[in-house]
Amino acid sequence: MRAGQIRTLAERAGIADGVSVLDLCCGVAGPGRFITRELGCGYLGVDYSVSAIDIARVRARGLPCRFEVARVPPIPPGTFDVVLLLETMLAFPDKRPLLEGISGALAAGGRFAFTFEEGRPLTGQERARMPDADTVWLTPLAEMCALLERVGLVVRWQEDWSLTHRAIADSLIDAFTADAAAIAAQIGRPALDDRIAAHRLWSGWLETGRVRKFAFVTEKRGSGFPNPATAA
């Protein structure tokens, strides 16, 4: 995601000073640190990777950020104004337990903001071509909207980011290729080749419409606090 897109999504979700944010599968928390620094909020980042959280804690020094190592789902206890899930929905084969947990973690009127790769599930042939295919679980748009409705989350805003997502994939292919020797020395040539192959598949699928990339902001039903994202 580009910085401008991260900020747009955060602002649409009503993130501001005093708003409590739970960032699921945050990794090293690049977007979370950016949002906290730019907009202010109470931030909790959660990821299953100990090494990623260690890096996040070091890089977030001086920011009002907290971090926990935990598998998702379940969702950490507590009630939050905003839950974020960026670039990770794809990795969950069964999205309903995840969405139920997120809805349960939101106060009435709370927002769930996320990015989402939309499309029919991969065929056997497509899975054979995709590195780490066990983390690639596409869902049709109508199915995702039905799941959100079922757990009490109403779509307030969505935008198709397919074109910019493809541009980012192409930029990464170019960057990986240009610095191939240095990157391969650190992670190994097979791992580098897998990353390049995966991004080429994504680029092609986004170009043809086989996959589309969306950003969403949803709101939990109820008469909770005013929502800056939807206020007129």
Side-chain angles (χ1 to χ4, degrees):
M1 294 175 67
R2 294 174 175 169
Q5 291 177 321
I6 294 168
R7 185 172 184 121
T8 293
L9 190 61
E11 289 176 340
R12 289 281 184 175
I15 295 178
D17 188 40
V19 171
S20 59
V21 176
L22 172 63
D23 187 5
L24 300 174
C25 305
C26 68
V28 300
R33 288 182 280 115
F34 173 78
I35 289 167
T36 305
R37 184 173 59 250
E38 293 290 310
L39 301 176
C41 61
Y43 176 89
L44 172 60
V46 177
D47 198 276
Y48 189 60
S49 169
V50 174
S51 60
I53 291 297
D54 285 344
I55 293 169
R57 284 183 174 131
V58 170
R59 295 182 178 177
R61 284 174 182 164
L63 293 171
C65 297
R66 296 181 297 119
F67 297 97
E68 291 181 8
V69 176
R71 186 182 292 277
V72 175
I75 307 302
T79 303
F80 300 88
D81 300 332
V82 177
V83 175
L84 299 175
L85 183 69
L86 307 179
E87 309 294 274
T88 319
M89 184 69 79
L90 185 71
F92 292 90
D94 185 359
K95 295 172 174 52
R96 182 166 182 174
L98 172 69
L99 294 174
E100 288 175 339
I102 290 169
S103 181
L106 289 169
R111 285 84 66 199
F112 172 42
F114 65 101
T115 57
F116 164 60
E117 290 82 4
E118 184 273 340
R120 303 180 313 280
L122 297 185
T123 66
Q125 190 174 47
E126 287 170 336
R127 299 194 75 80
R129 295 173 59 205
M130 171 59 73
D132 295 324
D134 59 336
T135 65
V136 180
W137 304 99
L138 295 170
T139 304
L141 182 61
E143 184 177 330
M144 172 56 70
C145 290
L147 281 171
L148 293 167
E149 177 70 19
R150 197 168 297 139
V151 302
L153 296 172
V154 181
V155 175
R156 296 303 188 196
W157 175 83
Q158 71 180 69
E159 193 165 276
D160 189 328
W161 285 357
S162 301
L163 288 177
T164 53
H165 195 60
R166 183 185 174 221
I168 291 170
D170 290 342
S171 295
L172 288 170
I173 293 167
D174 291 341
F176 289 151
T177 302
D179 293 331
I183 297 171
Q186 295 186 47
I187 67 173
R189 188 73 209 194
L192 174 61
D193 288 343
D194 280 351
R195 293 190 182 194
I196 293 173
H199 281 92
R200 283 179 175 154
L201 281 173
W202 284 120
S203 178
W205 290 345
L206 288 160
E207 180 182 19
T208 62
R210 169 66 180 88
V211 174
R212 292 185 297 166
K213 179 67 170 277
F214 283 92
F216 273 86
V217 174
T218 67
E219 181 179 345
K220 185 172 180 178
R221 288 196 197 94
S223 55
F225 53 83
N227 183 354
T230 58

